[in-house]
Each structure stands twice: as structure tokens, then as C-alpha cells.
Amino acid sequence: MVAVVAAGDIPLKRRLRRAERARQFRALALVLPLLAFLLFTFLIPIGGMLWRSVEDPEVGQAMPRTVAALSGWDGKDVPGEPAFAALAADLRQSYQDRSIAGVAKRLNYVSNGLRTTVMGTARRIHDLPAPGTARETLIAMDPAWGERITWTAIKGASGPVSDFYLLGALDLKRNMEGSIVRAPEEQAIYVDVFGRTFGIGLGVTALCLILGFPVAYLLASLPAGQSNLLMIFVLLPFWTSLLVRTCAWIVLLQGEGLINDLLRWVGLIDAPLRLIYNRVGVFIAMTHVLLPFMILPLYSVMRSISPAYMRAATSLGAPPAVAFVRIYLPQTLPGMGAGCLLVFILAIGYYITPALVGGAADQMISYFIAFYTTDTVNWGLASALGAVLLVATLLLAMVYGKLVHGQQNTGGLKN
Amino acid sequence: MATLTAVAALSAAANARDLTVVSWGGAYQDVQKQVYFEPFKATGTAMNDESWDGGIGVLRAKVQGGNATWDVVQVESEELALGCEEGLFQPLDFAKIGGEAQYLPATVNSCGVGAIVYDFVLGYDKDKLKSAPKGWADFFDTKTYPGKRGLRQGPKTTLEIALMADGVAPKDVYKELGTDAGVERAFKKLDSIKNDIVWWKAGAQPPQLLASGEVAMTSVYNGRIDAANKKEKKNFGMVWNGALFTIDSWVILKGSPNTEASYKFLNYVGKPEIQAKLSENIAYGTSAKDAPKHVKPDVLADLPTAEANMANAIEINTAFWLENLDRLTERFNKWAAK
């Protein structure tokens, strides 16, 4: 086999590659604006969030002397005079340049009450204590300086990065010896909240699938005119604001709302049912809001399934139910998968609907992220919760990818 | 003299913008425009007003960015405390605004001066309850007063209310809440009506909950009850006994090029007779001691600063909540999920 050598002695293969590369460049140039947009509006902010969840700068920046003095401290007992002298100097300095508030706040996360200790002491140190007296001076100002926990808190927060917030988001913390332990019972809530978030997400996804499948089937099998009319009803929620839809459910579901009044009028119930400010309300409202996201992918897949398959199955003697399960259902799997993934991922990020129609025990993780972002400005913990949610979602998406990949539309004809 | 004029000309060039006053927007700022901003402009100082939604982060960005486009801002008590610690505000010279003695002691702060006083009160629908509740103890008595109860979601205000209902005197509430036993006691009290509580999150919700009959009583901002009675002809009642009040303050941002005009403005809106006009248009109390004397008696009865309404009220303790909000919020959610 002689290699084909074309004009200019350049092998065809290479010329082909060159042409190919030029085409790729052109394609890349076309999507470049989109890529840049994604990078700046999506990847960089997410990177920033992930960074914030491990960044721990306040104490290291505001109290460099103390951090240096504690570098050789074994953590067994309260450190000696040099550390106290360094602390006094740092407190005084950071009070003057106003960086002390961040330190007070950060240490208070570790040991409740340190906020007052730090602020109160810093406010009162006008002059540095005489050499050799820093320890007694500080302990006289606030006995908390004589306790080991205060110093382990400072050392633990020395930064510049730490796992403090990420551990906190998983109900863990480091004890005085530095080993990871579970957070105290009354503060360990986030694992439960993540569980609740995914539970509600799964429940809503299941409800959407059960309710959406028949609707999508109907849409796909009706003649065009009627199906268009139905489609308008499906799309209607998209044209109404989320807030309006949620508030409409409040009007419908409340104790003296339309539904309870109707049931009482019919005589089915004596006392009003509790349909809102609890889990029931969250499921009803979220399912309603997310239903179109299930129906549309299902519908688009069902439209492309030829009715000939079902007819063939029936003519070969399969009862309708068997034909449906063995022939029709497997062909809708891609639509189901896409719909479920879409609804689930939207559901676990939901904030406004559970906040308005749920009770105190129905708040999802987004509620806490918002709380720490805006109410207490604890951005470290807010970012850590966001990071855990992101990682969990990516894992689930990967599992989904594996599952769907494993059975790429074989039409169920293999089994 | 010539140098003075030159300096004045220079500073006028440096501060090319007018005094900017920032408040909370909505119906409240409309009233402020009418009784504060427009009359103040008429005294000869140019100013414009903007609105914001709060957040210490916003103030940090404004001040540390070095290009503060705001001068006087109305802030909540947490922002006042945090911003003061962080040096975001100018220390306030009360001599320029009528002296400390002109104001209620609770509204005097080294970085700010009180703008409005408002309360969390017990609100109820007079048409639905046979007899009027007298305080938080009745709020927890679901036998005598059947029906659900509305409370603000979260530990803040909820725990104080639970302790007062359990017999703690208003003045001792924060002392009690500062102990583990006190926190236990509050949650134990909340347990007694746990299944009857509807948690609200936004200030607009409690009047809606009352109006729809969803709850028989709720904690609520006093101004909201007043507005519902006036604008929507509701027949809601308020209980001032054991009310929790809080104060929003005016601050001057550090680095403001309009400090002098800012003081002029604060001096103007600190006058009792000017403040009285605000209270007559919206049900907030104000910071000047003598303001209630200028308010019509029928309006005064529904103001947080009326003597009778202040008698058994306590101020929400900002320092306590700055220190304990994260921890007690976790605790609250643990309790709620049980």
C-alpha cells in the first residue's frame, strides 16, 4: 500500500486535519461569547463560593502576633505570658483599625460568648499592659482569657484556610484536641435538613411523574388542535409569577379557604383539614409549580414514538397492559429521565414556596443558606452549605448519567 | 475671610452632590417625604432621598469603596451595633442636634440617633374573640382562647414571648434567656402549643393570617395592625403588655462629604413637633422625649412611645442576639423538626 501523497508533498491526512482544525476554530469562535458569559456569570461565582467555604481570614489578618505566638503552643494548657502580650497588642491594634469585629464574630462561632469577650476587652485596652503583666491584666478584664477553649478557638481560626465551615455544614466540629467529632445534639441540624431537602425533592419528582405522565400521553395522542389547547393550560403556570401561584395556593388551602369550605359544605369534614403551613402544602404547591418541567420533556419524547409498535404488539397477541409496559414504557425512559432530573434539581433548590407554605419543620437547605447570607452574614457557613448541596447534586447527576447510559433506548426489546 | 471663601468654594467643588438620605422605602418613606424631606428642603438645604433594604454588607461596600454616595442612612439596631464597631459611621455629636437630653435614653447611641420606635405586639381579631387577651400568658392559653397562633419563625422574639408567657417579668427576660435553663424553659413553654403555631416570615403575613381566620392571635408589628384597621376597616386589637420594641436609627456614613448638611437634617428631624407629624401619619413612635406632647390624643393611644404602652414593654436586646442568634437558630430548628 503506497501512501497517497498529494500536491505540495503534504499527506492527505495532515491536510484533512488542518481543514478540520480550522473548522473547529471557527466553531469555537462562534461559541466564545457564550463561553465567556458562562465563565463570568457561572463558573467564577461558583468558584468564589467554594473558596469562601474554606477561607478563614479574619483572625489571621487581624491578629498576626497572636497567631505567631501560638504557632508553637501544644494546646494542652493556657499559653504563657508572650501569647498574652501578643494578644493585648493585637486587640489594641485591631480595635484601632476596626478589624476587631470580624475576629469577635468568628471566635463567637466556636464558643458562644467570645464576641463579648473580644469586643469588651478590645474596647478597654487603651495602653499596652506593662511587660510581664499581660496575662493577669487580660484575665482580670475577662476570665474567659484564662480558659483553654478561648485559645483553642483562636488557634483553630488562625487561617488562612480551614475546614471549620465545611465540617459545620455536616454537623461536625473539631474538639479541643483537634480531632473531628459530632456537633452537640441541639446544634446538629444540617444533615437532617439535607435529608429533608432531598426527601421533598424525591417526593415532588414522584408526584410530578405520576401526574404528568398521563397528561403528556394525552397531549401526544390528541389531534393537533385539541393538544394545542391543552398545551396552553400546561404552559399557563409559566406565564404567572411564582409568588402569585404560591399565594394562590395559600388562599385555596388555608383553614377557611376554598377547599376546606367546599369539603365542609359537602359534609365530608367537620373541622378544617390542615393543608397548609405543613409538608402537605409544600408538596401540593411545589408539585403544581414544577409539573410543566416534567410534562414537556415527556411529551417531546412521546411525540416521536410511532404508534405502529403498539399495534404490532397487540397484533402479536399482547394484552394492552403488557404491550404498554413492555413496548411503550421503555421508549419513554429518556423523557422520564430528563423530566425527573430537571424537576428534582429544581426542587432541591426551592426557596420561596416552602418558605411561604411550609411550617418551621419544612424549610429546605436554601432557607438556611439565605438566612446565613442575609440575616447573620455568616458567609462561610452559607457557602459551605451551598458547596455540600452542589457536590450532592453533581453526584446524583452522575448516578443518573450512569443509569441512563446503561440502558440507552433499546426500546426494551432485549428482555 | 478670602481664604474661607476659597475653602468653601473648594469644598463645594469637592462635594458636587447634594445631601442624600436613605430610608426603608414604601409607605413609610412616602410619609417621611411629606413631613421630613420636603419641609427640610424648604429650609434651604438641597437633598434627595433613596431607599434600601438593609444589610451591613451594603454599608461596608459603600464606606470601604471610598465612594460613599450616601450620607444619612436609616439602619436597624443590628446594623447600628455592627457598623459602629466596624467604624462605618461617624461618631455622632449630639450637641449639634439638640443635645442628648432631648431624646429618649434608649434612642441615644454613640454612632446614631433614634428615628422610629416600633413594637412586636400581640394582635388579635376583636370580631373573633369573645374576650380580649391581656398578655402573652393568654396567647398560650388555647383552652380559653381557642384557635391557632402566629409567631415569627426563628428564635428572636419567640423565646422572649415564651418566657413572658411563663411568668418571667419583662425586665428579667434576657437575664433568664442568658442561661441554659432559661432557654430550656422557653422551649418547654413553646412545646405546650407547638401544634397550634403557624410560623410567619414577613411582616405582611400576620395581618393576613388574622384576616383569613387562620390564627386567632399572632405576634405582629404594631404599625401593620394600625394600617389594617385604617385602610381595610378591620377590627383588630393590640395588647401592649409585654410588647417587644426595637429602634431604627439615623447614622452618618464615614467619609460623607456632606457632614454639615447631615447634621442640619438630623437636627431638623429631631425636633419634637416635626416628629409628631410622622406619628400622626404612620403608627411609629419617635425618639424625641416631647414628641408625644404634640401628637393628637386619639393617635397617641396607638403609639409605641405612649407612656401607657411603654410601661411593660422591653427593648429587643441587640447585643444578646448578635451573640446568640446563630446558636439559638440551630437550636430552634432542631426543636421545630422534632
Side-chain angles (χ1 to χ4, degrees), chain A residues 189-203 279 282-283 347-348 359-365 367-368, chain B residues 153 333-338:
Chain A
I189 59 169
Y190 301 112
V191 171
D192 286 352
V193 174
F194 278 114
R196 179 191 305 166
T197 304
F198 291 126
I200 290 177
L202 278 175
R279 200 61 61 93
V282 173
F283 275 127
I348 56 177
D362 308 312
Q363 298 309 318
M364 295 161 77
I365 199 70
Y367 171 84
F368 291 87
Chain B
Q153 182 163 315
N333 284 296
K334 189 84 191 174
W335 170 83
K338 264 205 289 257

Side-chain angles (χ1 to χ4, degrees), chain A residues 98 108-109 112-113 115-116 185-186 188 190 196 254-255 274 277 355 360-361 363 367-368 371 376 378, chain B residues 82 84-87 148 153 195 199 201 209 212 214 323-327 329-331 333-334 336-337:
Chain A
R98 300 289 190 171
N108 197 60
Y109 294 150
N112 224 62
R115 188 172 191 286
T116 309
E185 186 55 38
E186 65 269 12
Y190 301 112
R196 179 191 305 166
Q254 61 192 11
R274 289 214 71 178
Y277 307 121
Q363 298 309 318
Y367 171 84
F368 291 87
F371 170 78
T376 68
N378 183 348
Chain B
L82 290 169
C84 201
E85 282 169 3
E86 295 179 26
K148 301 217 177 306
Q153 182 163 315
N195 294 328
W199 299 100
K201 287 118 194 143
L209 290 170
S212 66
E214 191 71 21
E323 187 148 284
N324 295 288
L325 187 58
D326 282 23
R327 177 181 66 105
T329 298
E330 285 171 347
R331 179 70 208 273
N333 284 296
K334 189 84 191 174

Side-chain angles (χ1 to χ4, degrees), chain A residues 70 73 75-79 84 87 106-115 117-118 142-158 164 173-178 181 184 187:
Chain A
L70 286 180
W73 179 52
K76 291 225 172 16
D77 204 0
V78 178
F84 277 93
L87 176 73
R106 171 64 180 86
L107 294 180
N108 197 60
Y109 294 150
V110 187
S111 172
N112 224 62
L114 279 184
R115 188 172 191 286
T117 300
V118 172
D142 195 322
W145 296 118
E147 286 171 24
R148 194 175 137 217
I149 175 112
T150 309
W151 293 93
T152 43
I154 297 175
K155 191 163 168 76
S158 298
F164 175 76
K173 61 176 215 172
R174 287 187 182 276
N175 64 5
M176 299 245 255
E177 279 65 43
V181 292
Q187 285 170 35

Side-chain angles (χ1 to χ4, degrees), chain A residues 201-262:
Chain A
L202 278 175
V204 168
T205 308
L207 281 172
C208 283
L209 184 61
I210 293 164
L211 295 171
F213 195 94
V215 178
Y217 182 78
L218 189 62
L219 277 171
S221 51
L222 278 178
Q226 289 162 311
S227 91
N228 280 347
L229 189 68
L230 255 185
M231 193 48 124
I232 289 174
F233 283 116
V234 171
L235 292 175
L236 204 58
F238 275 131
W239 302 326
T240 356
S241 114
L242 178 64
L243 204 56
V244 170
R245 277 178 284 162
T246 304
C247 291
W249 278 113
I250 295 177
V251 174
L252 287 171
L253 297 173
Q254 61 192 11
E256 300 187 9
L258 289 171
I259 292 177
N260 268 311
D261 282 354
L262 189 72

Side-chain angles (χ1 to χ4, degrees), chain A residues 81-383:
Chain A
E81 178 68 26
F84 277 93
L87 176 73
D90 277 336
L91 285 176
R92 182 166 166 265
Q93 178 65 41
S94 57
Y95 185 68
Q96 282 164 359
D97 54 33
R98 300 289 190 171
S99 57
I100 191 72
V103 174
K105 188 178 167 145
R106 171 64 180 86
L107 294 180
N108 197 60
Y109 294 150
V110 187
S111 172
N112 224 62
L114 279 184
R115 188 172 191 286
T116 309
T117 300
V118 172
M119 290 310 302
T121 310
R123 220 171 287 151
R124 284 180 297 174
I125 295 188
H126 302 301
D127 313 303
L128 287 183
T133 63
R135 185 185 171 124
E136 48 191 286
T137 311
L138 285 172
I139 293 177
M141 281 183 181
D142 195 322
W145 296 118
E147 286 171 24
R148 194 175 137 217
I149 175 112
T150 309
W151 293 93
T152 43
I154 297 175
K155 191 163 168 76
S158 298
V161 291
S162 77
D163 53 12
F164 175 76
Y165 295 113
L166 281 174
L167 289 176
L170 297 167
D171 293 338
L172 301 167
K173 61 176 215 172
R174 287 187 182 276
N175 64 5
M176 299 245 255
E177 279 65 43
S179 41
I180 295 175
V181 292
R182 305 196 49 176
E185 186 55 38
E186 65 269 12
Q187 285 170 35
I189 59 169
Y190 301 112
V191 171
D192 286 352
V193 174
F194 278 114
R196 179 191 305 166
T197 304
F198 291 126
I200 290 177
L202 278 175
V204 168
T205 308
L207 281 172
C208 283
L209 184 61
I210 293 164
L211 295 171
F213 195 94
V215 178
Y217 182 78
L218 189 62
L219 277 171
S221 51
L222 278 178
Q226 289 162 311
S227 91
N228 280 347
L229 189 68
L230 255 185
M231 193 48 124
I232 289 174
F233 283 116
V234 171
L235 292 175
L236 204 58
F238 275 131
W239 302 326
T240 356
S241 114
L242 178 64
L243 204 56
V244 170
R245 277 178 284 162
T246 304
C247 291
W249 278 113
I250 295 177
V251 174
L252 287 171
L253 297 173
Q254 61 192 11
E256 300 187 9
L258 289 171
I259 292 177
N260 268 311
D261 282 354
L262 189 72
L263 290 173
R264 259 192 302 236
W265 182 72
V266 175
L268 279 173
I269 52 169
D270 306 325
L273 295 174
R274 289 214 71 178
L275 300 170
I276 197 157
Y277 307 121
N278 58 15
R279 200 61 61 93
V280 179
V282 173
F283 275 127
I284 293 175
M286 280 180 70
T287 302
H288 169 244
V289 168
L290 291 169
L291 204 48
F293 295 99
M294 181 66 83
I295 292 174
L296 294 173
L298 272 175
Y299 165 75
S300 68
V301 168
M302 286 176 178
R303 279 293 295 270
S304 64
I305 298 173
S306 160
Y309 290 123
M310 285 292 277
R311 283 204 294 273
T314 339
S315 74
L316 288 168
V322 174
F324 176 79
V325 172
R326 296 272 308 270
I327 306 299
Y328 191 80
L329 204 58
Q331 295 184 82
T332 64
L333 274 180
M336 274 202 251
C340 286
L341 190 70
L342 197 59
V343 169
F344 181 78
I345 286 185
L346 284 170
I348 56 177
Y350 251 56
Y351 170 61
I352 207 80
T353 305
L356 286 174
V357 301
D362 308 312
Q363 298 309 318
M364 295 161 77
I365 199 70
S366 50
Y367 171 84
F368 291 87
I369 294 173
F371 170 78
Y372 286 119
T373 305
T374 55
D375 278 23
T376 68
V377 204
N378 183 348
W379 286 9
L381 187 52
S383 305

